[in-house]
Amino acid sequence: MDRRAFLRISGAVPVAGLAGRPPSGDWERLRGRLTGPLHRPGDPGYPEAKQGFFTMYDARMPSAVVGAARVEDVQAAVAFAARHRLPVAARSGGHSYPGYSTVDGGIVVDLSRFSGIEVRPDGRAVIGAGARLGPIATTLAAAGRVLPAGSCDTVGIAGLTLGGGVGVLDRRYGLTCDHLEAARIVTADGRVRTVSGSAEPDLFWALRGGGGGNFGIVTGFTFRTVPIADVATFRLVFPAGTQAALLAAWQEWQPSMPDELWSGANLDAATAAVAGTFLGAQARMNELVDDLVRRVGTPPAERDGRVLDHVRAMRSFDDPESRPGAAVARAAYVGTSRMLLRPVTDPAAVVELLTRAPRVGTLIDAGGGAIARVGARETAFPHRSALASFQFLHGAAPEDGGEAEARRALAAVRDGLGPEFGTTGYVNYLDPEMPDWAQAYYGVNLPRLRAVARKYDPRRIFAFPQGLSSPRSTVHKGEF
């Protein structure tokens, strides 16, 4: 679909002047333009098509789910949404914590059919926006390559990359977005753009950490990958009551480690554990881990270390029990985050805050290394100098007290942390109640990101409650 066709379909009418509620005939004309399916309320398959990963949002009723099978389907969906003033959202893995990829009364563009994974002879990988991390890791490993990314098999590559992309190898190789070389995106004017460092570099910059859904619908990525290697892994579980000692030791130990060593900690009312990876000899890893144990001052109750192939190593960190309410395919939990900017002065106070909320789980991912060698303004991801990201999770099923209780408990933790965390957050752990969310997620890059959003989406077709194109009247707590 070219620009002229887009303007004809969309009517080229400013979004602010539209009334919505398309007549049934318009929906049928849209159906006829699509290669993939169109699911409307009452259609067979609609209840399944509208579901994301989180069960809390099952009551939401999109006006349609477009099962996009080619880029022209995405263009047609964007044009239709623009013409009828309907909210439109892309869905890759569907793991948006606030459920922003399931829009009431709007159009969901399901990208799951864009799942191709091609590894080129030069090691570059061309990956569809609907691909999940599990198949990506397996396909790349078969070709002897690795894309540094997260470890949860069901997470979509699109959301991960567009928000930055933390993972268990990023101290050595950098964030997922640091490996992005080009992206194909349908913007609000209906154009298909292939952006890179030399083609529309401002938009390419924004796609590397500026968050999913803000600038258009990305349909594919080209990544630089690295050679595969076996990974040494370790896991330590310390006795109850050592949480403060572990946090104090870990926050000093991890920054002193070589880039090849990454670790993450799990701290809550009942758990004091740390696990990690090392791209090197197991014997050397054991020496480095021994240093952590000495700093904690208490021997671990459990200790494990082994060398695994890359795929098995990644999957060893995909622990469903760390995600409250997790089931085989879907889950019910909510989350929030802070970035640790410098070592906490009172680890015991942090732990006391966490243990005061017994249902809140805390997952800590180390920063530093290659992440910090990229400037805060070089990509849209601003938290380059952070020591770690802290993710806080709480079950949202009825037996956990429901979503409202979960968010109340998370807010008490999020807002009770000390100045070492600042007013920060990681955009891939979106929290609809995050105070000053735009500044928290984007920091020094916020003005430039807003300018890019205005340039590519002047009519706010892709606006959503925590989106950079959202009008001032729809955002939370007056952040704008």
Side-chain angles (χ1 to χ4, degrees):
M1 182 188 297
D2 61 20
R3 178 176 172 80
R4 184 175 300 174
F6 175 88
L7 293 173
R8 184 175 66 250
I9 294 170
S10 69
V13 180
V15 171
L18 297 173
R21 198 175 290 275
S24 58
D26 284 7
W27 286 112
E28 290 310 307
R29 281 187 286 275
L30 174 62
R31 193 189 302 272
R33 292 189 181 103
L34 300 175
T35 300
L38 175 69
H39 296 283
R40 295 264 293 135
D43 290 349
Y46 171 82
E48 295 76 22
K50 75 183 183 70
Q51 289 180 353
F53 179 73
F54 292 106
T55 60
M56 305 93 69
Y57 311 120
D58 284 355
R60 295 185 183 176
M61 296 289 291
S63 293
V65 179
V66 173
R70 56 179 186 157
V71 71
E72 290 84 358
D73 291 355
V74 178
Q75 291 177 284
V78 171
F80 191 90
R83 180 183 178 188
H84 292 285
R85 199 188 176 191
L86 295 174
V88 59
R91 175 184 292 159
S92 176
H95 283 66
S96 168
Y97 280 2
Y100 289 148
S101 58
T102 303
V103 287
D104 253 334
I107 297 178
V108 174
V109 180
D110 178 3
L111 298 169
S112 61
R113 292 167 178 80
F114 287 79
S115 57
I117 306 163
E118 174 194 354
V119 186
R120 293 177 174 171
D122 64 0
R124 288 177 171 82
V126 180
I127 300 175
R132 308 293 180 95
L133 298 189
I136 290 170
T138 301
T139 302
L140 266 61
R145 308 298 296 183
V146 168
L147 175 64
S151 57
C152 179
D153 275 4
T154 61
V155 164
I157 188 64
L160 178 86
T161 303
L162 298 174
V166 300
V168 303
L169 302 179
D170 50 15
R171 295 189 77 253
R172 172 64 178 85
Y173 293 118
L175 303 174
T176 308
C177 73
D178 296 335
H179 293 259
L180 184 63
E181 294 198 337
R184 185 178 64 178
I185 180 172
V186 176
T187 46
D189 58 3
R191 289 180 57 187
V192 181
R193 305 170 189 259
T194 299
V195 301
S196 66
S198 58
E200 306 196 64
D202 57 343
L203 181 53
F204 180 64
W205 171 86
L207 295 180
R208 290 177 292 157
N214 277 315
F215 311 102
I217 297 180
V218 178
T219 62
F221 303 89
T222 300
F223 292 101
R224 182 182 68 256
T225 64
V226 300
I228 199 167
D230 288 346
V231 181
T233 67
F234 68 91
R235 181 173 180 267
L236 307 173
V237 179
F238 289 90
T242 60
Q243 287 91 334
L246 174 58
L247 177 57
W250 182 85
Q251 69 175 354
E252 299 293 344
W253 170 80
Q254 176 65 83
S256 71
M257 292 295 101
D259 294 355
E260 290 76 13
L261 190 144
W262 169 92
S263 68
N266 185 353
L267 295 176
D268 57 38
T271 308
V274 61
T277 62
F278 183 65
L279 296 171
Q282 184 177 8
R284 176 58 178 154
M285 179 189 74
N286 289 338
E287 294 173 358
L288 299 173
V289 174
D290 287 343
D291 181 34
L292 173 61
V293 172
R294 284 192 294 269
R295 292 173 187 246
V296 174
T298 301
E302 301 176 29
R303 178 169 178 169
D304 180 56
R306 62 187 71 185
V307 176
L308 301 171
D309 65 69
H310 174 80
V311 173
R312 289 176 62 210
M314 296 306 99
R315 287 178 176 158
S316 72
F317 288 91
D318 185 15
D319 179 9
E321 293 184 3
S322 70
R323 302 188 296 277
V328 174
R330 307 184 70 217
Y333 62 91
V334 294
T336 191
S337 62
R338 289 294 189 197
M339 309 298 291
L340 179 63
L341 305 178
R342 61 183 186 272
V344 296
T345 57
D346 190 350
V350 173
V351 169
E352 195 278 331
L353 178 68
L354 300 179
T355 56
R356 204 186 304 155
R359 289 180 176 267
V360 174
T362 303
L363 304 177
I364 308 171
D365 289 300
I371 302 170
R373 285 194 289 275
V374 177
R377 290 180 170 86
E378 289 184 49
T379 69
F381 181 84
H383 304 300
R384 294 290 180 170
S385 62
L387 296 180
S389 64
F390 276 56
Q391 180 180 193
F392 306 104
L393 302 174
H394 193 296
E399 59 268 26
D400 300 309
E403 184 180 354
E405 169 58 25
R407 295 203 183 279
R408 185 202 63 76
L410 288 176
V413 173
R414 178 197 65 214
D415 300 338
L417 294 166
E420 300 92 347
F421 294 85
T423 54
T424 58
Y426 177 33
V427 70
N428 276 353
Y429 304 149
L430 278 171
D431 171 2
E433 298 179 3
M434 172 72 79
D436 198 9
W437 62 263
Q439 186 65 39
Y441 295 138
Y442 301 118
V444 297
N445 293 323
L446 178 58
R448 185 178 176 188
L449 283 166
R450 282 178 171 157
V452 175
R454 285 194 299 269
K455 176 181 177 180
Y456 288 95
D457 187 16
R459 294 186 292 152
R460 301 195 297 264
I461 289 171
F462 296 108
F464 62 97
Q466 287 181 299
L468 290 165
S469 294
S470 297
R472 296 169 187 259
S473 60
T474 66
V475 298
H476 292 272
K477 304 188 184 223
E479 298 86 345
F480 284 58

